[in-house]
Amino acid sequence: MLQTFEVTIPPLEIEKNIGILVRNRLGAELMLYDPEFTRNSKPGLFENIGELLRGHGIVPTVHGPFYDLNPGSKDSAVRGYTLKCFSETLDASSRLGARLVVLHTGLNPLLPIHFQEEWLERSVCSWKIITGEAEKRKLPVAIENTFAPDSSTIESIAAGVSSEWLKVCFDPAHVHVYSKKTVGEWLDRLDGMVAEVHLNDNSGDYDDHLPLGEGTVDFED
């Protein structure tokens, strides 16, 4: 299994920072947060960036869009647009030669429980479509934990989809802010599913994305 430390970086910043990545033996997680950027990019842009990275021995991962997207939305228009954005991200990631794409669940855990149950059913249907595309492209998708109080939502999606192309991106800093469970409890539940880990720090009150050691996340544990 390929294991590397990556820095999160916008695609258009790769060329001027490639030397820093190479000198420090770092990989790259490319930030495709903006669907309009991905959708309206110049022809050949992603192929050229991928070629540049591979020329220096770097196989990137991609972090897809998440603002305002919801694969389990009650509104079919929102679900449809979310699938469109995710599909465009997979296409761009394939052209980049990426090895993994990180996506979010879009769930608001503050909504009533009965709504969350309905949301889960719709979400599983959406993720089946997404992982179907991922399988065709031989490009795994990893769901990142964000606002969830525990791992049950990701576990339920994974069980409902039942695809080897659906993985987990684990973020212990998000656990520190949004969950009452410990990092150890999360990892015990997600054992064998984690394909990527995001590392940053915070004080426990806000997702600050601080350098390691400047917050209170217990990384040693």
Side-chain angles (χ1 to χ4, degrees), residues 108-119:
N108 179 354
L110 300 180
L111 293 172
I113 292 298
H114 72 274
F115 179 84
Q116 292 187 41
E117 293 170 352
E118 297 171 4
W119 176 93

Side-chain angles (χ1 to χ4, degrees), residues 70-72 79 82-87 89-90 101 103-105 122-137 139-143 157 161 163 165-166:
N70 190 339
R79 294 198 307 276
T82 299
L83 289 172
K84 172 182 171 67
C85 291
F86 285 178
S87 179
T89 302
L90 287 172
V101 178
L103 299 171
H104 289 194
T105 67
R122 294 187 293 267
S123 184
V124 166
C125 292
S126 294
W127 286 107
K128 284 182 177 179
I129 295 171
I130 296 162
T131 52
E133 287 200 32
E135 182 174 7
K136 290 178 183 177
R137 299 177 184 279
L139 180 60
V141 169
I143 300 179
I157 292 173
V161 174
S163 170
W165 298 95
L166 187 65

Side-chain angles (χ1 to χ4, degrees), residues 103-191:
L103 299 171
H104 289 194
T105 67
L107 175 65
N108 179 354
L110 300 180
L111 293 172
I113 292 298
H114 72 274
F115 179 84
Q116 292 187 41
E117 293 170 352
E118 297 171 4
W119 176 93
L120 180 61
E121 292 180 9
R122 294 187 293 267
S123 184
V124 166
C125 292
S126 294
W127 286 107
K128 284 182 177 179
I129 295 171
I130 296 162
T131 52
E133 287 200 32
E135 182 174 7
K136 290 178 183 177
R137 299 177 184 279
K138 306 302 180 187
L139 180 60
V141 169
I143 300 179
E144 181 179 355
N145 62 293
T146 46
F147 308 127
D150 57 51
S151 61
S152 61
T153 297
I154 290 179
E155 290 181 74
S156 296
I157 292 173
V161 174
S162 188
S163 170
E164 64 179 316
W165 298 95
L166 187 65
K167 308 293 184 180
V168 172
C169 172
F170 182 65
D171 192 319
H174 287 167
V175 169
H176 191 50
V177 177
Y178 303 116
S179 177
K180 294 181 180 180
K181 302 292 184 180
T182 66
V183 167
E185 288 173 313
W186 272 79
L187 290 176
D188 284 343
R189 301 292 303 183
L190 299 177
D191 184 38

Side-chain angles (χ1 to χ4, degrees), residues 35-46:
E36 292 190 357
F37 168 80
T38 302
R39 188 175 304 129
N40 299 321
S41 62
K42 294 181 180 179
L45 173 68
F46 295 123

